[in-house]
């Protein structure tokens, strides 16, 4: 046998090397007595953290120093201290992931994807801490330096929902002030300019669907089966799943989203009649990002504000208000279930008072005849 210390050959069975005197079984004995645990990683807050399996249970171990981590992890694995099975369940990341998993079959793919994104990218200094011991205001303060107030508000809203599922009261924290941005839309005076500029463009069909109040996820899900007797039957939507793939879902945003919308713009009736889209095929094949960009390019070409797809949906509500169309009808066509939401977010009044036609049909018909 060879001495691992000096490399010289010594008689088999020797306890010590007869050249250097090193104990020959030292390294082997050490390997047998030392408990193997995963190598930790250092979090941004300075703690050392890793997870490991103990008797079939996933255990989370963290400590303030690397040396302390190894001592704690080996003690846990050796059974020297009691590790409650529920311990892994009170880590913030764990309860967030459990919340998502328990609702995977009832939430939309895009909602699930958004929640998973929050767990993956937000509050990283606190995700692996015991949620019962987190200083929530400190967590908010840390994240406020890394993202916009709106992003933080959305992420915090998810955390509060998760905590509520744990029967915990909503923590009292102060969030950064959210400055409301003025969302763009097209006024009744601007609509004729836009319709003329978008005519014949690849994005025209999508733009006309949006001007009929449809959400982007709704109009990219339309097939010839959804067009009947002068109406658009909104019965589903296409949204992105956790793999960033567009998938179809039959139920839309809320009960009011399932609706039929009268085709009011003559140009849309013409385009649908001329379309060679086969049954089961989607009318809109452009990517959603390309649609948004294309619509804004049209706006640029005629000096209009960038409205994108959703700004055209807001333009529908604004035009309905301008034409003195009843709010109940506007809510029904737009698929809004909440009156206050429609008023707060979608009804935008033109500054100039103008004589309004009696209905939206007449408004668009007059544009065709002008």
């Amino acid at each position: 046998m060879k001495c691992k210390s000096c490399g010289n050959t010594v008689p088999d069975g020797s306890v010590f090397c007869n050249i250097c005197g090193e104990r020959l079984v030292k390294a082997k004995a050490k390997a047998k007595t030392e408990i193997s645990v995963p190598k930790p990683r250092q979090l941004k807050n300075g703690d050392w953290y890793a997870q490991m399996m103990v008797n079939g249970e996933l255990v989370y171990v963290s400590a303030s120093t690397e040396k302390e981590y190894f001592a704690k992890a080996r003690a846990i694995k050796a059974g020297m201290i009691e590790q409650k099975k529920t311990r892994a369940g009170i880590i913030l990341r764990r309860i967030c992931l459990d919340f998502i998993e328990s609702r995977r079959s009832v939430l939309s793919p895009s909602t699930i994807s958004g929640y998973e994104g929050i767990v993956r990218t937000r509050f990283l200094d606190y995700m692996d801490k015991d949620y019962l011991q987190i200083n929530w205001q400190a967590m908010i303060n840390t994240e406020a330096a890394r993202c916009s107030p709106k992003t933080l508000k959305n992420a915090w809203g998810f955390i509060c929902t998760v905590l509520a599922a744990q029967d915990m009261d909503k923590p009292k924290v102060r969030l950064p002030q959210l400055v409301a941005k003025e969302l763009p839309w097209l006024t009744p005076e601007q609509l004729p300019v836009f319709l003329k500029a978008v005519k014949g463009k690849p994005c025209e069909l999508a733009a006309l669907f949006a001007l009929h109040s449809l959400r982007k996820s709704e109009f990219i899900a339309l097939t010839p089966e959804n067009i009947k007797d002068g109406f658009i039957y909104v019965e589903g939507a296409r949204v992105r799943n956790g793999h960033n793939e567009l998938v179809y879902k039959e139920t839309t945003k809320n009960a009011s989203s399932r609706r039929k919308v009268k085709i009011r713009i003559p140009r849309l009736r013409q385009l649908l009649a001329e379309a060679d889209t086969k049954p089961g095929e989607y009318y809109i094949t452009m990517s959603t990002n390309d649609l948004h960009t294309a619509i804004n390019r049209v706006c640029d070409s005629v000096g209009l504000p960038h409205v994108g797809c959703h700004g055209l949906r807001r333009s529908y509500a604004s035009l309905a208000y301008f034409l003195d169309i009843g709010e109940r009808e506007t809510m029904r066509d737009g698929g809004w279930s909440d009156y206050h939401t429609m008023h707060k977010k979608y009804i935008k009044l033109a500054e100039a008072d103008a004589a309004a036609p009696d209905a939206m049909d007449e408004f668009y018909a007059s544009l065709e005849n002008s």
Side-chain angles (χ1 to χ4, degrees):
M1 60 186 295
K2 283 189 176 183
C3 174
K4 293 184 178 180
S5 180
C6 66
N8 289 297
T9 301
V10 296
D12 292 342
S14 299
V15 177
F16 296 93
C17 176
N18 57 4
I19 305 298
C20 68
E22 183 72 22
R23 187 179 180 88
L24 299 176
V25 295
K26 182 178 180 180
K28 188 174 182 181
K30 183 178 179 181
K32 284 185 176 180
T33 58
E34 187 175 86
I35 297 173
S36 176
V37 295
K39 186 177 181 180
R41 62 185 177 89
Q42 190 171 25
L43 304 177
K44 292 183 178 180
N45 64 359
D47 288 351
W48 292 85
Y49 161 85
Q51 58 187 40
M52 61 184 183
M53 297 298 296
V54 179
N55 297 327
E57 292 288 334
L58 184 61
V59 177
Y60 296 80
V61 184
S62 63
S64 57
T65 66
E66 186 177 17
K67 183 177 179 180
E68 181 185 346
Y69 159 80
F70 278 113
K72 186 176 180 180
R74 286 172 181 145
I76 291 172
K77 196 163 187 180
M80 294 174 64
I81 62 175
E82 182 180 0
Q83 179 70 18
K84 295 181 180 179
K85 291 183 180 181
T86 57
R87 191 65 189 168
I90 65 175
I91 300 299
L92 181 58
R93 184 188 304 277
R94 183 73 267 152
I95 64 171
C96 288
L97 294 176
D98 287 346
F99 176 88
I100 294 171
E101 195 60 37
S102 67
R103 289 157 177 78
R104 192 172 292 277
S105 61
V106 296
L107 297 176
S108 72
S110 58
T111 299
I112 292 292
S113 179
Y115 286 167
E116 290 175 337
I118 291 172
V119 176
R120 189 172 59 252
T121 63
R122 304 265 71 92
F123 309 119
L124 296 182
D125 291 350
Y126 294 85
M127 273 294 170
D128 296 306
K129 287 185 174 293
D130 180 341
Y131 79 89
L132 296 175
Q133 299 178 9
I134 289 177
N135 182 325
W136 300 110
Q137 186 62 60
M139 187 176 89
I140 293 294
N141 296 344
T142 300
E143 200 64 22
R146 300 173 177 169
C147 65
S148 70
K150 182 178 180 181
T151 298
L152 179 55
K153 180 181 179 182
N154 291 339
W156 175 242
F158 167 68
I159 296 297
C160 290
T161 302
V162 172
L163 295 179
Q166 300 291 321
D167 295 324
M168 180 176 173
D169 292 336
K170 181 179 178 180
K172 294 181 179 180
V173 299
R174 186 177 182 86
L175 295 171
Q177 184 175 359
L178 186 62
V179 179
K181 294 173 63 176
E182 184 63 31
L183 301 175
W185 80 99
L186 298 180
T187 67
E189 292 79 15
Q190 292 171 328
L191 276 171
V193 179
F194 175 79
L195 290 172
K196 183 177 180 180
V198 80
K199 189 171 184 178
K201 300 290 192 302
C203 62
E204 182 184 12
L205 184 58
L208 297 183
F209 280 138
L211 283 172
H212 278 78
S213 82
L214 272 64
R215 301 176 179 91
K216 180 168 56 179
S217 61
E218 293 172 341
F219 67 67
I220 66 173
L222 294 178
T223 67
E225 290 85 347
N226 296 109
I227 310 300
K228 304 172 187 176
D229 304 321
F231 286 89
I232 305 168
Y233 286 77
V234 183
E235 299 172 342
R238 292 172 71 202
V239 296
R240 295 197 176 276
N241 61 16
H243 303 290
N244 202 33
E245 302 166 332
L246 280 174
V247 295
Y248 180 85
K249 63 170 187 173
E250 291 186 358
T251 55
T252 51
K253 191 170 185 180
N254 51 54
S256 302
S257 296
R258 292 183 65 87
R259 63 199 189 277
K260 67 175 185 178
V261 179
K262 184 179 179 182
I263 299 177
R264 303 181 184 277
I265 304 178
R267 175 64 175 168
L268 179 57
R269 286 194 291 269
Q270 177 187 348
L271 290 178
L272 292 174
E274 295 174 352
D276 58 0
T277 307
K278 297 179 176 57
E281 294 181 347
Y282 296 118
Y283 282 113
I284 306 300
T285 57
M286 288 181 67
S287 74
T288 53
N289 287 338
D290 288 345
L291 280 173
H292 182 84
T293 301
I295 288 173
N296 285 340
R297 282 177 179 168
V298 171
C299 293
D300 267 338
S301 70
V302 287
L304 296 176
H306 286 189
V307 294
C309 297
H310 207 65
L312 296 177
R313 170 170 157 84
R314 285 192 292 271
S315 300
Y316 169 86
S318 180
L319 180 61
Y321 197 94
F322 176 81
L323 298 177
D324 200 25
I325 295 175
E327 291 175 347
R328 179 173 295 181
E329 182 180 356
T330 303
M331 289 179 64
R332 181 196 65 208
D333 283 356
W336 289 289
S337 60
D338 180 63
Y339 169 82
H340 298 288
T341 297
M342 183 183 72
H343 262 275
K344 184 178 179 181
K345 293 187 177 182
Y346 293 100
I347 292 182
K348 305 293 181 180
L349 300 178
E351 293 181 0
D353 291 326
D358 293 333
M360 198 174 290
D361 304 62
E362 296 178 18
F363 176 83
Y364 283 116
S366 68
L367 298 184
E368 291 289 316
N369 297 329
S370 61

